[in-house]
Amino acid sequence: MLRPIALPLVLLATPALAQDPVDDGTANLPDTVPAFTEQTDAPEIASGVTLDEEVIVGTLAYPWGLAILPDGAGYIITERGGTLRHVTRDGTLGPEISGVPSVRSLRQGGLLDVALHPDFTENRVIYFTFAAPSGLTASATALGRGVLSDDHTALSEVEEMWRQTPASSIPAHFGSRVLIGPNGLLIVTTGDRFTPENRQLAQDPVNAAYGVTVALTLEGDVPTNPFITEERPEILSYGHRNIQGAATQPGTDDIWLLEHGPAGGDELNIMEVGGNYGWPEVSYGVNYNGSDVGTGEQAHAPDYVEPRYFWDPSIAPSDLIFYEGEMFPDWQGDILLGALAGQALVRLDVDGDLIVGEERLHTGQGRVRDVDVDADGAILILIDADPGALIRLTPAAE
C-alpha cells in the first residue's frame, strides 16, 4: 500500500546537526532552523571503499535514462535528443532503435526516462517519458509504451499513455521519472515548468499536472477513485518543484522522491497520498535572484509535508536507488543518488526514514544523471554530457 497522508504535526524545531557535514560551500540560507535534527547536514561519513571504474560505453549523447535488461542482454539507454539505444554488456553500442515517437528536444526537454514492464521477459514492453511536442513551440511531459523487438532494434505497438496538461512553451522542469511502484502502479513524476506563472500551478492540481506525481495502471488506465481531485484522479501528490528521482524503499511500500530546489532547498521526500509538498509557497532555498520563495517561510509543517532531508547549497539531484546487492554489503538499504551540479555519486546512510550520514563518491567527473544496480551488485551511472558515458563501478581490489 502507498503511504497515506500523515496528519499535520507541529514539529519541534531543533538546531541542525552541524558536526562535520559534507562541505558543499556557502549556504543560501545559513540561519535555517530545520524541523528536526536529521533533516539536513548529516555527518560526513567515509566507508573506506575505493571504486574501480569501467567505462562500458563513452560515446553517448546526453544520456538520461537507463534500464537493465534481464538475462545479461545489456542495457537500454535514452539520449535526450530523442534516441533510444541498446548497449551490450561488453559496450557495443547498437543502432538507433526505430519507432520512438517525436520529441521536442530543447534545453531540458527530449527523450527522458525508461523502465521495463514487470513481465518484460514475456511481453517485451518498455515504458518511457518524453517531452511531447504540442503546437508550434509548446511541449508536455508524456508517458509512452512500446514493444521492444528481440534484436533490440525496433519498437512496435507504440502508444502514448498519458500527457501532462496544459502544455507549456517553456522547455524546462519536465520531471520526469517513471517507476513501477507498489501494487504494480506506474508512477510518473513531473516538474513545475519553471516560470513564476507556471510554478503557481503546482498548487492547483485541479487545473494543471505541474509539479505532481501521477499513478496509472500498467495498461495506462486512470484510477476510478481519485486520490486528490475528480478532475485529475491520477494525481497522487502535488506542490513539488521538479522531481527527477523516484524509488521504493525495500521492505516497505514507501516511495522516496528527489526534487530540485531553487538556490538551495533540494528535497528528499517520502510520498504521501494526497500530500501537498509546499512549492512554491515554502522552501528551504531562495529564488535564483536571492529573493524569498513565497512569503519566505522555510518550515513546511503543519500545512505541508516536510522533506525527510534537504541540501543547501544545491547539489542538483537526479535519480536515486536503494542499494541491494552483493558487492557492497555494508551499503544494504542505503540510498545512492546522482548529483548534477554536485558532480558526484552520493551515498546516504538510512535509518528507517532518517538520514544519518552522507558520503560523496566518484566526485568531479561529470554530471551523474542516472543511478542503477546491475544484477551482480555493481553500480551503474550515466554521465550527462556529449560525449556522455555509461560507467560501471565496483570495489577496487585490496
Side-chain angles (χ1 to χ4, degrees):
M1 296 292 292
L2 297 174
R3 176 179 284 212
I5 188 168
L7 293 176
L9 297 175
V10 178
L11 301 177
L12 180 63
T14 57
L17 183 61
Q19 182 178 354
D20 300 321
V22 175
D23 184 7
D24 282 324
T26 303
N28 295 276
L29 290 170
D31 298 326
T32 293
V33 177
F36 52 93
T37 302
E38 297 87 358
Q39 197 181 26
T40 192
D41 285 340
E44 183 173 14
I45 54 178
S47 60
V49 173
T50 302
L51 297 174
D52 274 344
E53 173 184 310
E54 174 193 358
V55 178
I56 297 175
V57 59
T59 56
L60 299 168
Y62 297 112
W64 211 98
L66 167 68
I68 302 170
L69 294 169
D71 304 321
Y75 316 98
I76 296 297
I77 294 174
T78 63
E79 294 176 311
R80 198 174 68 231
T83 304
L84 194 64
R85 298 280 192 183
H86 173 244
V87 178
T88 64
R89 293 184 64 84
D90 67 3
T92 301
L93 181 64
E96 178 178 345
I97 296 173
S98 64
V100 177
S102 297
V103 307
R104 178 143 283 154
S105 177
L106 184 65
R107 288 178 56 189
Q108 296 175 10
L111 186 59
L112 303 172
D113 203 16
V114 61
L116 306 183
H117 189 287
D119 298 323
F120 174 83
T121 303
E122 289 76 37
N123 62 23
R124 307 287 297 177
V125 169
I126 69 168
Y127 300 99
F128 50 91
T129 56
F130 61 106
S134 179
L136 294 177
T137 62
S139 60
T141 299
L143 171 70
R145 63 178 272 167
V147 177
L148 182 66
S149 62
D150 290 339
D151 64 359
H152 312 107
T153 63
L155 283 183
S156 61
E157 302 177 43
V158 175
E159 61 177 314
E160 184 177 302
M161 303 173 69
W162 179 84
R163 183 182 292 211
Q164 173 193 57
T165 54
S168 173
S169 61
I170 305 301
H173 289 197
F174 292 89
S176 88
R177 291 293 166 188
V178 55
L179 171 73
I180 311 298
N183 301 324
L185 290 175
L186 278 170
I187 308 297
V188 181
T189 73
T190 76
D192 70 350
R193 305 309 299 271
F194 188 69
T195 65
E197 296 78 16
N198 280 345
R199 72 186 190 185
Q200 292 300 323
L201 293 173
Q203 286 294 317
D204 187 4
V206 171
N207 291 303
Y210 286 8
V212 301
T213 61
V214 166
L216 303 168
T217 70
L218 295 176
E219 291 70 40
D221 295 328
V222 173
T224 55
N225 296 319
F227 297 106
I228 297 174
T229 170
E230 292 184 359
E231 290 82 359
R232 295 175 188 266
E234 71 275 20
I235 292 180
L236 277 169
S237 63
Y238 64 108
H240 302 280
R241 186 171 182 268
N242 190 22
I243 309 169
Q244 298 225 325
T248 303
Q249 185 177 29
T252 76
D253 286 338
D254 287 345
I255 296 174
W256 292 57
L257 305 170
L258 261 180
E259 64 182 273
H260 287 242
D266 296 336
E267 293 187 1
L268 177 63
N269 284 297
I270 298 178
M271 189 177 68
E272 297 179 359
V273 175
N276 182 350
Y277 288 76
W279 180 259
E281 302 301 320
V282 294
S283 176
Y284 287 103
V286 296
N287 291 313
Y288 293 135
N289 63 8
S291 63
D292 288 338
V293 171
T295 62
E297 184 179 354
Q298 298 165 40
H300 292 30
D303 296 321
Y304 309 108
V305 180
E306 283 285 352
R308 302 313 301 165
Y309 197 71
F310 69 84
W311 289 266
D312 184 17
S314 176
I315 63 169
S318 54
D319 195 21
L320 81 154
I321 54 108
F322 287 87
Y323 184 79
E324 293 182 284
E326 298 181 356
M327 284 196 180
F328 302 90
D330 292 339
W331 295 0
Q332 292 291 324
D334 287 354
I335 289 174
L336 298 176
L337 64 95
L340 297 166
Q343 295 196 28
L345 174 68
V346 180
R347 180 173 73 91
L348 299 178
D349 188 1
V350 181
D351 182 7
D353 61 1
L354 296 176
I355 305 304
V356 296
E358 183 170 355
E359 181 176 22
R360 299 294 168 85
L361 304 154
H362 199 266
T363 57
Q365 300 179 63
R367 292 159 50 88
V368 180
R369 172 62 74 179
D370 201 356
V371 183
D372 217 324
V373 177
D374 215 340
D376 61 359
I379 298 165
L380 300 171
I381 59 174
L382 286 179
I383 301 299
D384 180 16
D386 186 7
L390 170 62
I391 296 175
R392 174 181 167 90
L393 303 173
T394 55
E398 294 183 2

